[in-house]
Amino acid sequence: ADLARQLKIKTGTVKRTHKELLSYGKEVAQQAAKIEKMKADGADSHDIRKQEEVNEESKMMIPDTQKRLDTATEDLSNHLALCAGNEEIAASEDFATAKQLLAEIEGGAA
């Protein structure tokens, strides 16, 4: 039962961290577009610099979040290997969900 509970927790961690990483990526792209529009519209240089600072802060979050995702993914992968020996857990929906999540993340990273 503890293995199953840990599987749910680790899967949730990977899912949440992956979502966070995608969110930062989207935020950086949106900020870059906003900065370009501000430059094109002739916005105040101070305002543009402030937006660039905000964008840099978002960019700095990406490597840390990627590292946390890599760690969580590896942890989940190792836990799946451990759970594979338990027929009840290996046949569960949580196990299938975790495997699918890892496949999606590894497929997206390649």
PDB file of all heavy atoms in Angstrom, residues 4 8 12 16 22 36 39 53 61 72 74 88 100:
ATOM      1  N   ALA A   4       2.155   1.990  -3.478  1.00  0.00           N
ATOM      2  CA  ALA A   4       1.103   2.586  -4.307  1.00  0.00           C
ATOM      3  C   ALA A   4       0.933   4.063  -3.964  1.00  0.00           C
ATOM      4  O   ALA A   4       0.767   4.909  -4.855  1.00  0.00           O
ATOM      5  CB  ALA A   4      -0.209   1.841  -4.117  1.00  0.00           C
ATOM      6  N   LYS A   8       1.609   7.452  -6.433  1.00  0.00           N
ATOM      7  CA  LYS A   8       0.700   8.579  -6.675  1.00  0.00           C
ATOM      8  C   LYS A   8       1.400   9.905  -6.402  1.00  0.00           C
ATOM      9  O   LYS A   8       1.285  10.859  -7.181  1.00  0.00           O
ATOM     10  CB  LYS A   8      -0.535   8.475  -5.778  1.00  0.00           C
ATOM     11  CG  LYS A   8      -1.660   7.718  -6.377  1.00  0.00           C
ATOM     12  CD  LYS A   8      -2.912   7.880  -5.559  1.00  0.00           C
ATOM     13  CE  LYS A   8      -4.053   7.367  -6.392  1.00  0.00           C
ATOM     14  NZ  LYS A   8      -5.319   7.339  -5.742  1.00  0.00           N
ATOM     15  N   GLY A  12       2.318  12.734  -9.203  1.00  0.00           N
ATOM     16  CA  GLY A  12       1.805  14.096  -9.039  1.00  0.00           C
ATOM     17  C   GLY A  12       2.911  15.135  -9.099  1.00  0.00           C
ATOM     18  O   GLY A  12       2.751  16.199  -9.705  1.00  0.00           O
ATOM     19  N   ARG A  16       3.062  18.006 -11.935  1.00  0.00           N
ATOM     20  CA  ARG A  16       3.043  19.412 -11.516  1.00  0.00           C
ATOM     21  C   ARG A  16       4.292  20.158 -12.014  1.00  0.00           C
ATOM     22  O   ARG A  16       4.204  21.265 -12.532  1.00  0.00           O
ATOM     23  CB  ARG A  16       2.942  19.479  -9.993  1.00  0.00           C
ATOM     24  CG  ARG A  16       2.805  20.867  -9.434  1.00  0.00           C
ATOM     25  CD  ARG A  16       2.710  20.877  -7.910  1.00  0.00           C
ATOM     26  NE  ARG A  16       3.933  20.396  -7.296  1.00  0.00           N
ATOM     27  CZ  ARG A  16       4.062  19.232  -6.656  1.00  0.00           C
ATOM     28  NH1 ARG A  16       3.039  18.415  -6.548  1.00  0.00           N
ATOM     29  NH2 ARG A  16       5.212  18.866  -6.128  1.00  0.00           N
ATOM     30  N   LEU A  22       6.403  24.029 -18.549  1.00  0.00           N
ATOM     31  CA  LEU A  22       5.705  24.484 -19.761  1.00  0.00           C
ATOM     32  C   LEU A  22       5.175  25.909 -19.575  1.00  0.00           C
ATOM     33  O   LEU A  22       5.231  26.724 -20.499  1.00  0.00           O
ATOM     34  CB  LEU A  22       4.550  23.532 -20.099  1.00  0.00           C
ATOM     35  CG  LEU A  22       4.942  22.115 -20.506  1.00  0.00           C
ATOM     36  CD1 LEU A  22       3.695  21.262 -20.713  1.00  0.00           C
ATOM     37  CD2 LEU A  22       5.799  22.120 -21.760  1.00  0.00           C
ATOM     38  N   GLU A  36       8.701  43.106 -27.822  1.00  0.00           N
ATOM     39  CA  GLU A  36       8.828  43.497 -29.232  1.00  0.00           C
ATOM     40  C   GLU A  36       7.726  44.470 -29.633  1.00  0.00           C
ATOM     41  O   GLU A  36       7.973  45.453 -30.347  1.00  0.00           O
ATOM     42  CB  GLU A  36       8.812  42.257 -30.140  1.00  0.00           C
ATOM     43  CG  GLU A  36      10.068  41.420 -30.058  1.00  0.00           C
ATOM     44  CD  GLU A  36      11.352  42.222 -30.272  1.00  0.00           C
ATOM     45  OE1 GLU A  36      11.442  42.983 -31.257  1.00  0.00           O
ATOM     46  OE2 GLU A  36      12.259  42.099 -29.438  1.00  0.00           O
ATOM     47  N   LYS A  39       8.483  47.854 -28.183  1.00  0.00           N
ATOM     48  CA  LYS A  39       9.546  48.523 -28.957  1.00  0.00           C
ATOM     49  C   LYS A  39       8.968  49.082 -30.256  1.00  0.00           C
ATOM     50  O   LYS A  39       9.271  50.211 -30.652  1.00  0.00           O
ATOM     51  CB  LYS A  39      10.683  47.551 -29.259  1.00  0.00           C
ATOM     52  CG  LYS A  39      11.547  47.238 -28.054  1.00  0.00           C
ATOM     53  CD  LYS A  39      12.633  46.236 -28.406  1.00  0.00           C
ATOM     54  CE  LYS A  39      13.504  45.906 -27.203  1.00  0.00           C
ATOM     55  NZ  LYS A  39      14.513  44.886 -27.521  1.00  0.00           N
ATOM     56  N   GLU A  53      13.484  42.843 -17.641  1.00  0.00           N
ATOM     57  CA  GLU A  53      13.890  42.281 -16.343  1.00  0.00           C
ATOM     58  C   GLU A  53      12.935  41.166 -15.922  1.00  0.00           C
ATOM     59  O   GLU A  53      13.375  40.116 -15.446  1.00  0.00           O
ATOM     60  CB  GLU A  53      13.917  43.368 -15.271  1.00  0.00           C
ATOM     61  CG  GLU A  53      15.081  44.321 -15.381  1.00  0.00           C
ATOM     62  CD  GLU A  53      15.001  45.464 -14.378  1.00  0.00           C
ATOM     63  OE1 GLU A  53      14.314  45.311 -13.340  1.00  0.00           O
ATOM     64  OE2 GLU A  53      15.642  46.498 -14.621  1.00  0.00           O
ATOM     65  N   MET A  61      14.138  30.879 -14.168  1.00  0.00           N
ATOM     66  CA  MET A  61      13.397  29.809 -13.484  1.00  0.00           C
ATOM     67  C   MET A  61      13.422  28.506 -14.292  1.00  0.00           C
ATOM     68  O   MET A  61      13.274  27.432 -13.729  1.00  0.00           O
ATOM     69  CB  MET A  61      11.944  30.229 -13.249  1.00  0.00           C
ATOM     70  CG  MET A  61      11.791  31.382 -12.275  1.00  0.00           C
ATOM     71  SD  MET A  61      12.551  31.070 -10.674  1.00  0.00           S
ATOM     72  CE  MET A  61      11.538  29.762 -10.062  1.00  0.00           C
ATOM     73  N   ALA A  72      12.722  14.534 -10.475  1.00  0.00           N
ATOM     74  CA  ALA A  72      11.432  13.899 -10.178  1.00  0.00           C
ATOM     75  C   ALA A  72      11.136  12.779 -11.176  1.00  0.00           C
ATOM     76  O   ALA A  72      10.599  11.721 -10.793  1.00  0.00           O
ATOM     77  CB  ALA A  72      10.314  14.945 -10.210  1.00  0.00           C
ATOM     78  N   GLU A  74      13.362  10.942 -12.831  1.00  0.00           N
ATOM     79  CA  GLU A  74      14.247   9.820 -12.508  1.00  0.00           C
ATOM     80  C   GLU A  74      13.732   9.070 -11.276  1.00  0.00           C
ATOM     81  O   GLU A  74      13.723   7.838 -11.247  1.00  0.00           O
ATOM     82  CB  GLU A  74      15.663  10.341 -12.253  1.00  0.00           C
ATOM     83  CG  GLU A  74      16.669   9.235 -12.031  1.00  0.00           C
ATOM     84  CD  GLU A  74      18.088   9.763 -11.829  1.00  0.00           C
ATOM     85  OE1 GLU A  74      18.378  10.899 -12.220  1.00  0.00           O
ATOM     86  OE2 GLU A  74      18.893   9.007 -11.273  1.00  0.00           O
ATOM     87  N   GLU A  88      -0.042  -6.428  -8.137  1.00  0.00           N
ATOM     88  CA  GLU A  88      -1.231  -5.607  -7.868  1.00  0.00           C
ATOM     89  C   GLU A  88      -1.012  -4.159  -8.316  1.00  0.00           C
ATOM     90  O   GLU A  88      -1.859  -3.570  -8.982  1.00  0.00           O
ATOM     91  CB  GLU A  88      -1.546  -5.644  -6.365  1.00  0.00           C
ATOM     92  CG  GLU A  88      -2.846  -4.946  -6.008  1.00  0.00           C
ATOM     93  CD  GLU A  88      -3.124  -4.989  -4.512  1.00  0.00           C
ATOM     94  OE1 GLU A  88      -2.749  -5.978  -3.857  1.00  0.00           O
ATOM     95  OE2 GLU A  88      -3.719  -4.017  -4.018  1.00  0.00           O
ATOM     96  N   GLN A 100       2.723   6.300 -18.717  1.00  0.00           N
ATOM     97  CA  GLN A 100       2.325   7.154 -19.839  1.00  0.00           C
ATOM     98  C   GLN A 100       2.908   8.564 -19.669  1.00  0.00           C
ATOM     99  O   GLN A 100       3.408   9.158 -20.626  1.00  0.00           O
ATOM    100  CB  GLN A 100       0.803   7.221 -19.932  1.00  0.00           C
ATOM    101  CG  GLN A 100       0.324   8.072 -21.101  1.00  0.00           C
ATOM    102  CD  GLN A 100      -1.191   8.182 -21.168  1.00  0.00           C
ATOM    103  OE1 GLN A 100      -1.907   7.521 -20.399  1.00  0.00           O
ATOM    104  NE2 GLN A 100      -1.687   9.000 -22.066  1.00  0.00           N
TER     105      GLN A 100
END
